[in-house]
Amino acid sequence: MKKRTLLLALALLTFAVAALLGCASTTENKDAKQTPQEIKIGATAGPHAEVVEAVAKEAKKQGLNITLVEFSDYITPDKALADGEIDLNSYQHAPFLQNFNTQNKSDLVPIGKTILMRMGVYSDKHKSIAELPVGATIAIPNDPTNGGRGLVLLEKAGLIKLKVGVGFNATVADVVENPKNIQFQELEAAQLPRSISDVDAATITMNYVMSAGLDVEKQGIFLEPKDEPLAVMILAARNQDKDNETYKKIAALYQSDGVKQFIKEKFKGTIVPAE
């Protein structure tokens, strides 16, 4: 009787151990399916791609293998992510991502902040917003999105007031208060850096600041706030992967000391880590 009881107990113990091992194996297999061994991150050529490479170096220290997939346009990276060709992408702000979702009926989500690319007011003639004289000429982009963004920036700088609710859709016609009688000159965005020697100031997006070699500290007299949605770049994933622990670790690496140091040395203040 005792022998039979002992054999039964051993059988139950063996079954329990096997079950536990089976659960562990299933969990490992599930995790393996969720996170590929090679994690592909899409980014546009230039600063976004360079920062991804810095993140990849830090990730390697944690045993994570990141491969950069470089793109030359602003639509394909989201299409590639939605189609499962890449695992994450890093090149856009949240409003752009939301617009892509709306237009393509996709379900991509931000899982972290990456870098700040702020629009600013730049001048070669004046050292501060307060120094801008009555009747000053300010150049702004002539495209609808960045033109409105420039006007919102000037409103935040205290120079003008816009119609309530127009937001980034604002045009010069929406200026309702202009105490300094600012004159607006609408130019192609790419021409704005060259215009600052001819106007009192210009509102310029960071990509053109960088390509023109402008000095943010010396020529920038007002920048968008750090929480401006159009200034905060994000790391995007498919909604089904938003809770993936490995992807969360990668998102956190954008604020790591190693990546912060790379951004500081490489971009000299034009780009800073998002917080």
Side-chain angles (χ1 to χ4, degrees):
M1 185 71 178
K2 288 183 179 180
K3 186 176 180 180
R4 184 180 300 174
T5 302
L6 179 60
L7 288 172
L8 179 61
L10 286 172
L12 290 172
L13 179 61
T14 301
F15 176 79
V17 171
L20 286 171
L21 289 174
C23 289
S25 177
T26 301
T27 301
E28 287 174 4
N29 289 337
K30 185 179 178 182
D31 288 342
K33 288 180 181 178
Q34 287 182 342
T35 307
Q37 290 186 342
E38 178 191 37
I39 302 161
K40 296 180 180 179
I41 301 182
T44 47
H48 291 292
E50 291 174 299
V51 174
V52 169
E53 288 177 335
V55 169
K57 288 181 180 178
E58 293 300 311
K60 203 164 190 177
K61 298 175 185 177
Q62 298 185 18
L64 302 176
N65 181 22
I66 291 176
T67 298
L68 167 67
V69 180
E70 204 166 294
F71 295 89
S72 58
D73 70 281
Y74 294 108
I75 300 299
T76 311
D78 276 340
K79 285 187 175 180
L81 180 58
D83 293 342
E85 296 173 10
I86 57 176
D87 305 298
L88 303 166
N89 70 34
S90 177
Y91 77 104
Q92 65 192 318
H93 49 61
F96 186 93
L97 178 67
Q98 185 54 52
N99 183 63
F100 178 86
N101 283 335
T102 301
Q103 295 295 324
N104 296 274
K105 297 182 180 179
S106 54
D107 196 12
L108 308 181
V109 295
I111 62 168
K113 299 175 182 178
T114 59
I115 57 177
L116 295 178
M117 296 189 73
R118 294 185 280 177
M119 176 181 267
V121 182
Y122 290 82
S123 177
D124 275 346
K125 298 177 180 178
H126 310 286
K127 300 296 182 185
S128 68
I129 287 291
E131 284 186 18
L132 290 172
V134 172
T137 297
I138 299 181
I140 64 173
N142 66 359
D143 61 282
T145 300
N146 286 313
R149 184 179 178 185
L151 290 169
V152 169
L153 179 62
L154 295 177
E155 182 176 47
K156 288 180 177 177
L159 291 174
I160 61 172
K161 282 194 176 180
L162 299 167
K163 288 180 183 176
V164 176
V166 292
F168 295 117
N169 293 318
T171 68
V172 172
D174 295 312
V175 177
V176 293
E177 290 186 30
N178 186 1
K180 283 196 171 185
N181 191 30
I182 300 296
Q183 304 299 303
F184 301 100
Q185 186 171 346
E186 297 179 84
L187 299 173
E188 291 285 341
Q191 296 178 12
L192 290 168
R194 295 194 296 271
S195 77
I196 62 172
S197 59
D198 300 318
V199 297
D200 290 285
T203 60
I204 310 175
T205 53
M206 192 56 74
N207 56 322
Y208 289 116
V209 169
M210 296 176 65
S211 62
L214 297 183
D215 190 316
V216 177
E217 292 187 2
K218 292 181 180 179
Q219 295 165 291
I221 59 175
F222 190 81
L223 295 176
E224 283 177 328
K226 292 183 177 181
D227 60 352
E228 178 60 68
L230 296 184
V232 180
M233 303 294 111
I234 53 97
L235 183 68
R238 291 178 291 278
N239 187 52
Q240 68 199 54
D241 296 326
K242 66 182 179 181
D243 296 319
N244 184 296
E245 292 300 324
T246 299
Y247 296 167
K248 287 181 180 180
K249 288 179 182 178
I250 292 172
L253 286 174
Y254 279 87
Q255 283 75 46
S256 66
D257 291 340
V259 172
K260 283 182 177 179
Q261 188 62 29
F262 167 80
I263 292 173
K264 181 179 179 181
E265 292 176 357
K266 176 69 178 180
F267 301 110
K268 312 294 183 187
T270 54
I271 288 174
V272 295
E275 299 175 357

